[in-house]
Amino acid sequence: MGRSSTIGSRSRRNFLAASGGLIAAAAAGNTSAFGAVATQESGSRPLSPGAARKIPIGVFDPAFPDMPLDQMIEKFAGWGVEAVEIGTGGYPGSKHCPVEELLADPAKLRAWNKKFEDRNIRVMTLSCHGNPVHPDGKIAERDWQTFQRTVLLAERLGVSVIVGFSGCPGGSPTDTMPNWVTYRWPPEYAQMQDWQWKEKVIPYWKQAAKFARAHGIHKLALEMHPNFVVYNPRTLLMLREAVGEEIGANCDLSHLFWQQCDAVEVIHMLGKQGAIFHAHMKDTTFYKENVDRYGVLNFAFEKKDLPLASETFRAVGYGHSAGTWKEIMRAYMEVGYQGMFSVENEDPILSGEVGVERALYVLKNVRSELLGTS
């Protein structure tokens, strides 16, 4: 953190004992956010034997859409970033990764990768979030082609994990827009949901997993995200059972907090099945008076909309306390998670590099305490 930062001015121990919800509430000008009362860090329980593994901490690059690659890498190196998740198309875009150019020229690919290696940063994950089962055939084909190119690039880079969305089809063969069905009544909604899974979602992901397998990629990390058919741990496991063990989770807890999931319970449940392939590190804060009035299906993405919002995304430590994130990271270590902790910043208050830098600060210090290196 910069020397002028409020967070950076605190001692590590004091910061870890403070509630991220309190900071979030102050930053948003809303003192009634959940977690506004500071909680004590739970640091007494030691890690399980053999669990003390230094999981790499890194960044997902779409937080820097206007920053040239070389400048971004230098900034990451200055922050001590150990790994990166790189967008290769779809919703994240491919600002820092000209996929087709790199696939066409092995020398350019080596030079691109060397930029990271020279700064001791590992390219660990490629991400191509899209909607490959979109009812518009042009969109579906575009996202399928993006996925295939991403698999080929991962194969050449030695990257083992590809992140994306499950997608969402229409509700019938004649629909032109996606139809997200989560509630199976009245009966026509159950019929739509069954049709989506049987005719579109499962066939697509069987095809995708087969293509990935053929190129040595065995980890397709699907982000459990609203407006897509895989939106919670149950729907993730349903698809995994139908398709195979190539399907696993990008465990982005920010989407599970508002669904009232217990983060540690989810990590243990999925981790024991070997179903966590990637972890986006992003927080969510709640505004209790608006939850009480409007419920949780009342998300806001823009700062101007926060006065009426029930919740919004925040940087790690600004929705839940550092002590909570310590238990989350402990859980990842205890289930033997083999991926990276990837900071994704969509915080409407701490935008861009500010949110990323502060999240990195929390995660690094929490990891140090867990490993006994603080």
Side-chain angles (χ1 to χ4, degrees), residues 277-294:
F277 296 159
H278 190 60
H280 274 172
M281 306 305 272
K282 190 170 81 210
D283 213 336
T284 300
T285 196
F286 295 84
Y287 302 100
K288 186 179 184 303
E289 73 277 16
N290 289 336
V291 173
D292 292 345
R293 294 166 182 163
Y294 311 126

Side-chain angles (χ1 to χ4, degrees), residues 222-357:
L222 301 185
E223 187 167 337
M224 297 171 280
H225 193 290
N227 283 329
F228 298 102
V229 295
V230 168
Y231 61 91
N232 65 10
R234 185 183 177 198
T235 49
L236 176 84
L237 291 174
M238 286 169 56
L239 189 60
R240 180 176 168 90
E241 181 178 357
V243 172
E245 293 187 353
E246 284 81 11
I247 301 297
N250 167 27
C251 198
D252 185 332
L253 296 171
S254 70
H255 303 303
L256 303 185
F257 286 136
W258 68 266
Q259 295 182 65
Q260 306 301 302
C261 292
D262 182 286
V264 172
E265 181 69 21
V266 167
I267 293 166
H268 279 289
M269 178 185 67
L270 294 179
K272 288 175 182 177
Q273 300 179 63
I276 302 178
F277 296 159
H278 190 60
H280 274 172
M281 306 305 272
K282 190 170 81 210
D283 213 336
T284 300
T285 196
F286 295 84
Y287 302 100
K288 186 179 184 303
E289 73 277 16
N290 289 336
V291 173
D292 292 345
R293 294 166 182 163
Y294 311 126
V296 297
L297 297 178
N298 179 39
F299 216 93
F301 301 92
E302 303 291 336
K303 190 174 181 179
K304 64 180 176 60
D305 297 325
L306 293 182
L308 292 177
S310 296
E311 64 270 318
T312 192
F313 294 134
R314 295 305 315 268
V316 170
Y318 284 74
H320 294 76
S321 72
T324 297
W325 281 97
K326 184 173 182 177
E327 292 308 304
I328 288 168
M329 294 176 77
R330 183 198 304 276
Y332 278 118
M333 291 179 183
E334 289 184 337
V335 300
Y337 170 59
Q338 296 297 306
M340 64 180 284
F341 291 138
S342 183
V343 172
E344 180 186 28
N345 190 50
E346 296 179 337
D347 190 319
I349 299 168
L350 301 174
S351 60
E353 63 184 84
V354 176
V356 171
E357 188 177 11

Side-chain angles (χ1 to χ4, degrees), residues 175-191:
D175 282 2
T176 60
M177 296 293 285
N179 192 329
W180 187 40
V181 181
T182 64
Y183 198 81
R184 292 175 62 82
W185 192 90
E188 58 265 32
Y189 289 89
Q191 293 171 11

Side-chain angles (χ1 to χ4, degrees), residues 150-193:
T150 301
V151 167
L152 296 177
L153 186 62
E155 179 183 31
R156 297 184 192 184
L157 287 170
V159 169
S160 62
V161 179
I162 291 173
V163 180
F165 291 138
S166 60
C168 185
S172 74
T174 58
D175 282 2
T176 60
M177 296 293 285
N179 192 329
W180 187 40
V181 181
T182 64
Y183 198 81
R184 292 175 62 82
W185 192 90
E188 58 265 32
Y189 289 89
Q191 293 171 11
M192 285 192 291
Q193 191 178 57

